Structure formats: structure tokens, C-alpha cells
Amino acid sequence: MGGDGIGPEVTAQSMKLLEATGIGFDFIKAEIGFEAYKKYGTPLPEKTIKICKKSDAILFGAITTPPNIKGYFSPIVRLRKVLDLYANVRPFKSLPIPDQKQGIDFIIVRENTEDLYVGQEQLTKEGAIAERVITKKGCEKIIKFAFELAKKQSRKKVTVVHKANILRITDGLFLDIAKKISQSYREIIMEDMLVDSCAMQLVKKTEDFDVIVTTNMFGDILSDEAAGLTGGLGVAASSNIGNSQGLFEPVHGSAPKYAGKNIANPMASFLSSTMMLEFLSEDKMAQKMRKSITKTIKLGLTTKDLGGRLKSSEFTDEVIKNL
Ligand code: NAI
Ligand code: MG
């Protein structure tokens, strides 16, 4: 699903790279976003949902949010709900880019379906109220997911980020459940940290983090902060994981001013594709692909946003050469 703006372009580059792996993908294209809305009157056609449900994995580009259209909704937020993609995973790793802090290698695991993002808001006489929904099941699922991920990747520490000193009931529940679950993972250290303190530590001691697990909104904010510390939007990758489904997407949006010019950095989509390969149990190829990306940027071969001179497609060709 390319979507809008630079979405289809970076996704096409990823498909070229994925084809070069020789794994033999069966790509099925599906429409989503504002372009789909213009054609079908909905940004998320039923056909797209059906195709997603039948697929082994979903690669998504980006979408454009149009100016106020009544009844318009975010198709990607809706799709995450429809497919119950409860875990949002974003890895952050130093890249060999000039001026970038080295030695960073951590992951933020963010709950993806609850919290303030359930969208239950109402006007009252005095002002407005938003509902914060935290369920036991939701906490258990995301915290287990984070510990399992830490175990799979032989990571040493899980930092549980919360604000339980103020949000005693909702975040208190999250923290309690984390403490319980951590007992089943004796080999992994669990620490907990207040979200405001974490925001500061991320800047001061970025390299101290390993796996962070947190609720939806805190995760949303901290992961953009972390992206700023590790190369920016052109390289930030993410995945949305459910019980059986996985959707992989660059963090950036449709960057309309770059669309159609073959200049967008496809690396965020490439790195999302490596996560997709891991999800499909193609770990070796994922590693190989990551190595070829790193090798390419070490050679100074990058797109404009990282100070280089390559077009989108030229960067892809170099990565394929190094694969
Ligand atoms: P954006 O991420 O599209 O672009 C912001 C700036 O980041 C760009 O102007 C560009 O300088 C840089 N950038 C982003 N991706 C890049 C890439 N691959 N290579 C090089 N530079 C890149 O965010 P913006 O401008 O706030 O939003 C544009 C549209 O995208 C809006 O309609 C917004 O609603 C939508 N959006 C969609 C998202 C999604 O599909 N998941 C996420 C964020 C925004
Ligand atoms: Mg965000």
C-alpha cells in the first residue's frame, strides 16, 4: 500500500530491493489514503481491508491528511484497529552519518490501541474531557510483547515508562502488571521511569536505553524525540504487530513537496522492510539488508536529506549492489 505523496515512491523502491533478495515475494497492491478517497469516497476501501487480512505481511508508505473534509477519518489509525495491531515497535540505532551520536541501539514498544487515543472526547459545561482507557488485557499484551522481544534479541533491560505518581490508577495498573510480568523474565532487568524524566534521559544518556515499553501517547511523543536523535524522519522505521498480522511503515508522512521528484529518502521504508523480513522469519536476509544499507551510507552514498547527492532510485541501486 503506497498511499499518497512520496508513499508510493519509497514503497516502490522497497519492492525493488525486496525483489533483489531473491526470496520471491508475491506483491498484491492495495489502495489507501486521500487518492483512494477521491476515487471511492473512502480512504480505506473494503477491498483493501480484505487484501490486508489475507496477506502474510503489509508494507505501507504514507498518506496525506486532507484539509477538513466532513466524515474523513485516518485510514491507517482505522486499519491498526481493524487488524488489532496492538504493538507499535520502533527501533533506533546509530547510523554512520556525520555528526550523529554513535553507540545508540534501543527499541520503543508502544501500546497502539488504547489510552487517550481511543478518541472519546466530549464537551462539558466547563470545558472538555478526554477519556483515558487502560485495560488489563492491553497492558498484559504489550508488556509481554516487550519482554519477549527483549528475550528474542538477547537484550538486557526493559524500561517501563509511566506517570504513576500522578496517574495513580491508570498508569498504576500498567506499572503493577509490568512488575508482575517481569518476574517471569529473570534474565532481563526491569527498571521503571517517569515519562518526563525519560524524555530528559533520552537526550542525555541515549546509549543507556535497551527496550522501552510504554502507553500509547507517551510512546508517540518519546518515539518522535528518539527519531530526532538518530537521523530524523528520512530513516525512522516502524512496525505495527498484532496476533497474526504485521504492518510495516516508515514513520514519515507523504512529504507532498518531495512527491514525484525521485528525491525522497527510501531508507525508512527499507528499514521497515527489514523488520518485515524478520516478521516473516527471514532474519538472515534482514541482517544482510541492514548491512548493505549501512555499507552504502558509510561510502557516503546518500540522498540529499543526509547530505548526499543521490536520487531515490540511485540510492536503491547502490544498496542492491552491496546486498
Ligand atoms: P512529513 O513526514 O510528510 O514531512 C516532513 C518533512 O520531513 C518533509 O518536508 C521533509 O523535509 C522531511 N521528510 C519526510 N520524509 C522524508 C523522506 N523520506 N526523505 C527525505 N525527507 C523526508 O510530515 P508533514 O509535512 O507534517 O505531513 C505531510 C502529510 O503527511 C500530511 O498530510 C500529514 O497528515 C501526513 N502524515 C502522514 C503520516 C503517515 O502516513 N503515517 C505520518 C505523518 C504525517
Ligand atoms: Mg506520532
Side-chain angles (χ1 to χ4, degrees):
M1 298 190 295
D4 303 317
I6 61 167
E9 296 172 37
V10 295
T11 308
Q13 299 305 320
S14 274
M15 284 162 66
K16 209 161 88 180
L17 177 57
L18 286 165
E19 249 157 16
T21 64
I23 286 174
F25 284 91
D26 184 7
F27 290 122
I28 304 159
K29 285 197 183 177
E31 292 172 283
I32 189 167
F34 190 44
E35 291 302 322
Y37 176 85
K38 286 192 240 170
K39 266 166 89 178
Y40 307 107
T42 170
L44 184 62
E46 272 305 313
K47 193 176 166 198
T48 295
I49 298 177
K50 263 194 201 144
I51 291 174
C52 286
K53 283 186 173 164
K54 275 204 256 169
S55 300
D56 294 317
I58 305 156
L59 188 63
F60 170 72
I63 46 175
T64 297
T65 311
N68 266 331
I69 294 179
K70 221 182 145 207
Y72 194 88
F73 59 89
S74 165
I76 186 67
V77 171
R78 178 77 58 91
L79 192 60
R80 287 180 193 138
K81 260 195 192 149
V82 170
L83 301 175
D84 191 23
L85 304 172
Y86 64 86
N88 187 291
V89 184
R90 288 206 209 171
F92 300 95
K93 201 169 172 171
S94 302
L95 291 162
I97 301 168
D99 303 329
Q100 194 178 108
K101 202 171 177 178
Q102 294 302 303
I104 298 170
D105 181 8
F106 69 100
I107 301 172
I108 296 183
V109 177
R110 160 189 167 198
E111 202 289 324
N112 215 13
T113 59
E114 303 188 337
D115 197 357
L116 281 166
Y117 292 20
V118 294
Q120 301 291 347
E121 292 188 296
Q122 52 172 315
L123 282 170
T124 63
K125 247 194 221 156
E126 296 77 23
I129 295 177
E131 227 174 290
R132 183 170 201 243
V133 177
I134 303 288
T135 69
K136 283 183 198 163
K137 215 173 164 186
C139 295
E140 278 162 11
K141 269 160 73 174
I142 198 68
I143 292 160
K144 259 190 204 145
F145 183 94
F147 275 94
E148 282 299 320
L149 185 71
K151 193 171 149 186
K152 189 184 168 208
Q153 298 195 4
S154 306
R155 289 177 180 268
K156 294 191 171 62
K157 187 172 70 177
V158 172
T159 307
V160 179
V161 175
H162 62 89
K163 189 74 183 173
N165 55 339
I166 306 289
L167 302 167
R168 284 167 185 269
I169 298 180
T170 46
D171 267 8
L173 181 69
F174 186 74
L175 183 57
D176 277 349
I177 292 176
K179 282 180 181 162
K180 257 183 223 139
I181 288 175
S182 73
Q183 314 246 315
S184 315
Y185 298 86
R186 296 271 177 203
E187 68 287 8
I188 298 165
I189 300 164
M190 182 204 128
E191 66 174 8
D192 74 281
M193 200 178 277
L194 293 171
V195 63
D196 40 353
S197 165
C198 179
M200 183 193 64
Q201 295 299 342
L202 266 180
V203 175
K204 279 185 75 173
K205 292 190 171 170
T206 324
E207 59 282 9
D208 278 7
F209 288 93
D210 204 351
V211 175
I212 290 175
V213 63
T214 189
T215 47
N216 204 340
M217 189 167 74
F218 295 159
D220 190 5
I221 298 167
L222 292 177
S223 52
D224 273 26
E225 184 193 350
L229 292 166
T230 49
L233 280 175
V235 303
S238 79
S239 65
N240 302 267
I241 311 282
N243 287 325
S244 54
Q245 292 278 344
L247 184 152
F248 303 82
E249 57 171 323
V251 170
H252 64 70
S254 62
K257 67 174 183 205
Y258 286 10
K261 295 185 179 154
N262 192 23
I263 55 173
N265 190 352
M267 192 147 70
S269 181
F270 289 177
L271 293 170
S272 306
S273 299
T274 64
M275 296 173 88
M276 182 174 85
L277 287 177
E278 279 162 356
F279 178 77
L280 295 169
S281 301
E282 295 284 353
D283 295 63
K284 264 195 190 146
M285 186 52 78
Q287 218 175 7
K288 217 170 142 186
M289 204 146 122
R290 240 179 239 126
K291 266 192 194 152
S292 72
I293 294 168
T294 313
K295 187 172 168 194
T296 308
I297 47 184
K298 255 191 196 153
L299 292 168
L301 299 166
T302 57
T303 46
K304 225 171 152 189
D305 56 307
L306 296 181
R309 286 186 308 181
L310 297 190
K311 297 264 182 200
S312 251
S313 54
E314 291 169 343
F315 178 70
T316 311
D317 293 340
E318 293 299 331
V319 174
I320 291 174
K321 254 190 241 165
N322 290 323
L323 193 68

